[in-house]
Amino acid sequence: MCRKFSNDTLANVSPFLIKKVIDYTAGSEVETCKKLRNGNILIKTKNYNQAEKLVKLVSLSPTVHIEISEHTSLNLTKGVIHSNDLRGIKEEEILDELRNQNVTEVKKILKEENNDSLKEIGLIILTFSSISLPTEMSIGYEKIKIRPYIPLPLRCKKCQRYGHIEKICKNAKICPNCANEFHTSEDNAECVNIKSFVNCKENGIQTYNHNSYDQKCPIFVREKEIQVIITLEKVDRRKAISTYKERNQYSGPSYSAVTRNNSALYSQTQESPAQSSTVTKPINQQRQ
Ligand SMILES: [Zn+2]
Ligand SMILES: [Zn+2]
Ligand SMILES: [Zn+2]
């Protein structure tokens, strides 16, 4: 829910008024309702019927005009399927055939070959217009398993820290190879210093020399586990980090050990897709 026809947000609107109007409009209490930092309100309804009624609401009072719209990402889920039969068939054609199974987007995972050409590997990322991911689907007469799609951790290209992008970064620019202040003048200039990763250096856990792109780095491994929590439990990064810490406090099996044994999970190994692009690049160019 966001405010309309006003420079104000919903931050200062009475919580009692909000609850009264939402409950009245939805016909009963909704699942959750919370004010976001940007002044909007995030509502989770108990069912589709409540949502249908709420999107018609245009004001909370004669002076507070609002608009309620469907959340752009929380109502979608992404899954990965493997099918050699679909190699060679265009994404648009696959989408047309799978629309009746709630698929809204089809992206093939392509792998870059030595000669810079892109090759299909049979993996396809599908977006479904549903809150929970189906476990299997039909491709023609065949039944195919769907695994959750876990995006790679998001690392800032400027400061090399996780969880935000370059555009909003206020930190100093750091060399991705040696963890010193950024020093190579041109984009293509190679740093020849001893490899170091700023996240590990700062936490004093750099047990072997490696740079920002290293996928065995303990911080990268931890970030991957946080991504699993964000994706599967549909929580924000802050909540995922606290969940991760809670689960790793005791000496039982780590969350990574638990998820590794979960065969239904699409784990990101050599064939991992990039988060925002579908091209798997060589390690030193992997998305940051
Ligand atoms: Zn940054
Ligand atoms: Zn450097
Ligand atoms: Zn590291």
Side-chain angles (χ1 to χ4, degrees), residues 21-61:
V21 178
I22 285 179
D23 289 3
Y24 179 78
T25 311
S28 52
E29 283 193 332
V30 294
E31 183 84 32
T32 58
C33 178
K34 65 174 178 185
K35 278 189 185 169
L36 304 176
R37 269 186 288 177
N38 64 5
N40 292 342
I41 291 173
L42 182 65
I43 305 164
K44 184 179 180 188
T45 60
K46 282 186 177 142
N47 50 50
Y48 189 75
N49 190 264
Q50 285 188 331
E52 232 180 358
K53 289 175 180 165
L54 282 170
V55 291
K56 292 180 190 144
L57 188 65
V58 292
S59 66
L60 292 178
S61 75

Side-chain angles (χ1 to χ4, degrees), residues 156-161 164-166 169-171:
C156 174
K157 281 180 188 169
K158 193 180 158 210
C159 75
Q160 305 300 326
R161 269 92 173 176
H164 66 267
I165 50 167
E166 193 183 3
C169 180
K170 292 191 182 88
N171 301 325

Side-chain angles (χ1 to χ4, degrees), residues 148-210:
Y149 170 66
I150 315 287
L152 275 178
L154 184 66
R155 195 181 75 248
C156 174
K157 281 180 188 169
K158 193 180 158 210
C159 75
Q160 305 300 326
R161 269 92 173 176
Y162 286 105
H164 66 267
I165 50 167
E166 193 183 3
K167 224 167 85 184
I168 57 158
C169 180
K170 292 191 182 88
N171 301 325
K173 193 168 183 181
I174 298 288
C175 174
N177 192 56
C178 70
N180 289 316
E181 208 173 291
F182 193 76
H183 56 92
T184 44
S185 51
E186 298 149 54
D187 280 353
N188 291 328
E190 283 284 329
C191 162
V192 291
N193 296 341
I194 293 173
K195 287 178 180 174
S196 178
F197 184 28
V198 68
N199 290 284
C200 283
K201 194 173 139 189
E202 281 175 351
N203 285 290
I205 54 169
Q206 185 125 346
T207 47
Y208 65 103
N209 292 340
H210 63 271

